[in-house]
Amino acid sequence: MAIERTFSIIKPDATARNLTGAVNAIIEKAGLRIVAQKRILMTRAQAETFYAVHKARPFFGELVDFMISGPVVVQVLEGEGAILKYRDVMGATDPSKAADGTIRKAHAKSIGENSVHGSDAADTAAIEIAQFFSGNEIVG
Ligand code: CMP
């Protein structure tokens, strides 16, 4: 399988509970390498752009409000089959359906406050990485 990069966000519910290191430990134990990382407060415009695909969904406003409610840690993760691997490591969007050993099973509070985001495909990973990182900020 090819070496890929995926985009990750440690969301405000997790940073508020001081779980950045706990989430990163799960990521690294799964064999993914954190090749870029920064802690930011997203602007409303950044969050609306990032989640534009969900604009028509009833939870869009709530989702944007949540994502700008506190610090997030944006990351680029690298590894063999990183996109699918990270989705496995995160677990299901709804933490009540997430498998044992996943980040969301261990830490997520609800379907909205679900601790982490990960790209769903190679094209979205490239777009999401480019929204938050310039090339020289990613060091593999
Ligand atoms: P994420 O992977 O960041 O991508 C879209 C997000 O929308 C998803 O994680 C959830 O946090 C959020 N989401 C999905 N469904 C709902 C819902 N029913 N109510 C609130 N937020 C939701």
Side-chain angles (χ1 to χ4, degrees), residues 38-71:
K38 57 190 172 189
R39 180 175 168 106
I40 62 168
L41 199 53
M42 254 193 222
T43 64
R44 182 171 293 277
Q46 276 178 315
E48 285 178 351
T49 298
F50 185 78
Y51 281 121
V53 68
H54 297 302
K55 206 173 175 87
R57 307 284 280 275
F59 57 82
F60 180 71
E62 187 187 322
L63 174 60
V64 169
D65 286 347
F66 168 59
M67 292 301 289
I68 65 173
S69 68

Side-chain angles (χ1 to χ4, degrees), residues 7-20 23 39-42 50-51 54 59 62-64 66-75 86 90 92-94 103-104 107-118:
F7 180 73
S8 163
I9 305 176
I10 302 178
K11 296 187 180 185
D13 68 284
T15 61
R17 288 175 288 151
N18 212 19
L19 292 172
T20 299
V23 170
R39 180 175 168 106
I40 62 168
L41 199 53
M42 254 193 222
F50 185 78
Y51 281 121
H54 297 302
F59 57 82
E62 187 187 322
L63 174 60
V64 169
F66 168 59
M67 292 301 289
I68 65 173
S69 68
V72 298
V73 178
V74 291
Q75 304 175 307
Y86 189 45
M90 290 194 298
T93 304
D94 179 349
I103 294 168
R104 286 170 170 156
H107 299 301
K109 296 167 79 173
S110 66
I111 193 165
E113 299 193 26
N114 65 354
S115 298
V116 281
H117 165 85

Side-chain angles (χ1 to χ4, degrees), residues 72-89:
V72 298
V73 178
V74 291
Q75 304 175 307
V76 180
L77 311 180
E78 186 177 87
E80 291 230 342
I83 296 165
L84 274 181
K85 182 179 275 186
Y86 189 45
R87 292 187 73 78
D88 281 349
V89 169

